[in-house]
Each structure stands twice: as structure tokens, then as C-alpha cells.
Amino acid sequence: MLALSVAGVFAAGPALAQTNLKMAYALSVDSHYGAGAKAFAKSIEKDGKYTLEQFPNSALGGEREVIEGLQLGTIDVAIVSTGATLNFVPETGVFDIPFLFRDLAHARKVLDGDIGQNMLKAFPKRGLIALAWGEQGFRHLTNNVRPVHTPEDAKGLKIRTTENPIHIAAFRKMGILATPMAWPEVATALQQGTIDGQENPLSVIVSAKLSQLQKYLSLTAHVYGPALVLMSPDAYNKLSDDEKKHMDEAGHQAAIAMRQYVDDIEKNGVDQLKKEGMQVNTVDHEAFVKAVEPVYPEYYKKFGKDLVESIRNTQ
């Protein structure tokens, strides 16, 4: 007992000097979010001052609840999608406009440039600290009814979407029965046939093992999916200037890790899903672009034509 008591004293010493941070995200530890969380943990834990307790798989709630937790201070750090942040920082919704970005290089240049970095500065006004832009990749369509090659093929499909009016407007224009649903409910809805399909980047389709639930994957690349590394002001504002720089760097490392994951999955993900039994097809990209073009005046009205066009035209 004495030995255990003495050991306990020494074990408690370092722990008392450490600050434990709670990080929440919606996907598994094997996802791009998990890769970002691992990089964040490695960055903040290297000097022994912090530990990171991870809550993957929506363990602390859906993304809306997680963001509210950041505002309340019950969660310290999170990785979330812009599908959730637009309810809190509406400006971020501009990046969710369909067919806005040409490719990953274009999207990353915008987010790393003045447009993206100025957007991060809007978060403190909404009770959030945005450390960095992460990434999910381009979103694609999966379903259990038929291959989708053209917008006509997609008509009538009941597709789960995020609670994102920007996405929903485009889907409805194409005749898709857009069905907003929180991510934790999706697997059950697919199993029960409540919905025909969903849309997500390859990073999610692979890590969430959607090949077990969906037959067809159509490479629509209809929307680029950013992610965000967010921190609670309660936790961030207690830090010294040097400590804040440390957290900013951790956010940056998380973003790099997410992008690396996306790069890897873009190279290998389709082959993996084919091996797992999914039928994968390309689509008539120009037909899809043309199908959503009539919705663009709504986006111009919401976000400003100058901003939308400046993003589109970034080289």
C-alpha cells in the first residue's frame, strides 16, 4: 500500500501541471478528421503542458451541438464542416456553392489567401475561435437505386443532405428530393431505406464504410467541402500570447494532416471502394454545372456577386 501511495504521488505530479482539452468531431479516428485530431494532439502535447481527450463519432452530439458546446465552453476544440458553421457564421456558406471551385489547388489557394483568412476573423463575433481551414475534399453522390450519369438520372432520388440551404437549393433544382438529416442518423436511414442515398467526399465515404450501405457512387464533385478547426473562446482567451501561437500552429498542423489524408484518398479511394463492391461511374460534368447555374442569382444575392466571382476567378 505504501508503494502504491508513493507511486500515486509521483504519477499525480505531472498530471497536475497539465491542462486537458476536450476535442469533438463527427467521424471516426481513422477519418480525415481523426488525422487532423492526431496532428493537433501531437503538436500541443509535445511540451507536456497539454493533453487532448478526443471524442470522435459524434460522441458529444452532432455538429450543431458541438459548436454550441464550444460557445458554452463545455467543449474546448472541434473539427467541423461548413455545413454546420453557416448557421453560426453565415459568410462561410459561400464556399459551399456548387461547382464554385475547379479543383483542390484552386480551393486551397482561396482558403489560404485573403478571402479565406479574412473569413476566419468573423468567428470571434459569434463566440468562436477559428484556428485554421481544414479539408474534406469534393463531395460525390451515392445511392442504392441506379447509376447517376446526368442530372436527369438523379431526379426523384431521396438524398440525405446536410442542413445546408445552399446545397439544398441546388439539389432541388435538379429534381433531387433533398432530405436534411444529422450525420449520426444517416446509417440507420440508409439501412431502413428511408433515404436512397447521400452525398459526401471520398474521405467520408471511405472512412465511414459507406460501401457497406450503398451500391452506386457517381463522381459528381458537385461541392468542395472545407472543414474548420475551432476552439472555445473560454479556453483560448485564457492563454498567453505564446500559448495562443502554439494553438494556432496546432490548428495549422491539423489542417495539413487533413489535406494529406484527402490527397491520399483521392489517389486510392475509388479503387478501394470498387474492391469493396461499389459500382463507380463518372458523370457529364458540364450538364451538372448547367443544371445548377439558374440557382447562382440566389447565391449572388446572399453572398454578393463580387465575392462569388472573385472566388471563381482566383488563379
Side-chain angles (χ1 to χ4, degrees):
M1 288 180 65
L2 178 61
L4 289 171
S5 176
V6 172
V9 169
F10 284 105
L16 291 173
Q18 289 181 322
T19 298
N20 184 60
L21 299 177
K22 294 166 62 177
M23 175 185 255
Y25 50 97
L27 302 171
S28 75
V29 293
D30 297 322
S31 68
H32 52 299
Y33 283 4
K38 182 178 179 181
F40 191 93
K42 183 178 180 181
S43 183
I44 67 166
E45 291 176 352
K46 59 188 176 186
D47 63 1
K49 189 169 183 179
Y50 298 96
T51 59
L52 188 72
E53 186 178 5
Q54 297 184 39
F55 294 87
N57 294 312
S58 302
L60 298 183
E63 290 194 326
R64 179 189 286 270
E65 289 80 13
V66 165
I67 293 173
E68 290 170 348
L70 292 171
Q71 291 176 321
L72 293 169
T74 57
I75 297 171
D76 301 305
V77 193
I79 300 175
V80 300
S81 70
T82 48
T85 61
L86 66 84
N87 293 308
F88 299 85
V89 185
E91 303 95 305
T92 59
V94 70
F95 300 130
D96 282 270
I97 293 176
F99 304 109
L100 180 66
F101 295 105
R102 297 182 298 276
D103 50 35
L104 289 174
H106 177 202
R108 291 169 182 178
K109 187 158 188 179
V110 171
L111 294 176
D112 294 342
D114 289 343
I115 293 171
Q117 295 307 299
N118 287 335
M119 195 80 72
L120 297 182
K121 296 174 184 176
F123 280 77
K125 300 172 189 174
R126 308 309 206 286
L128 298 162
I129 302 296
L131 299 179
W133 288 105
E135 184 169 79
Q136 301 191 77
F138 281 92
R139 303 177 79 90
H140 305 287
L141 185 69
T142 71
N143 82 96
N144 280 327
V145 179
R146 56 181 173 268
V148 172
H149 297 275
T150 67
E152 190 69 26
D153 296 330
K155 284 185 177 179
L157 292 177
K158 192 170 186 180
I159 301 296
R160 176 267 176 179
T161 69
T162 61
E163 297 174 34
N164 186 328
I166 298 153
H167 293 184
I168 292 168
F171 285 130
R172 288 179 176 166
K173 192 68 179 176
M174 288 188 285
I176 289 173
L177 303 177
T179 307
M181 184 180 295
W183 176 249
E185 303 169 19
V186 173
T188 300
L190 289 171
Q191 289 168 334
Q192 295 177 346
T194 308
I195 52 177
D196 298 318
Q198 60 84 60
E199 48 85 44
N200 256 308
L202 289 175
S203 54
V204 176
I205 295 168
V206 171
S207 64
K209 303 186 185 305
L210 288 176
S211 59
Q212 298 176 5
L213 300 170
Q214 295 274 262
K215 185 175 182 180
Y216 303 105
L217 166 61
S218 300
L219 299 174
T220 48
H222 51 274
V223 170
Y224 170 76
L228 281 149
V229 185
L230 301 181
M231 194 163 181
S232 168
D234 279 7
Y236 189 81
N237 292 335
K238 293 174 184 175
L239 304 176
S240 67
D241 288 346
D242 284 344
E243 289 168 336
K244 287 177 181 176
K245 288 179 182 177
H246 194 174
M247 289 297 165
D248 293 343
E249 176 58 23
H252 179 64
Q253 292 302 319
I256 290 173
M258 280 186 266
R259 288 182 178 182
Q260 289 175 340
Y261 186 105
V262 169
D263 284 339
D264 290 342
I265 214 75
E266 289 289 330
K267 292 177 185 174
N268 307 312
V270 168
D271 287 340
Q272 180 177 335
L273 292 168
K274 285 179 178 178
K275 288 177 183 176
E276 293 170 358
M278 291 194 88
Q279 295 184 31
V280 183
N281 66 272
T282 57
V283 302
D284 184 341
H285 187 264
E286 288 305 313
F288 276 93
V289 172
K290 187 176 180 180
V292 301
E293 199 68 35
V295 190
Y296 261 72
E298 293 182 31
Y299 301 144
Y300 292 148
K301 185 177 180 180
K302 189 174 184 68
F303 300 108
K305 185 173 182 178
D306 287 347
L307 175 60
V308 174
E309 291 304 311
S310 67
I311 293 170
R312 260 185 153 179
N313 296 328
T314 296
Q315 299 296 322

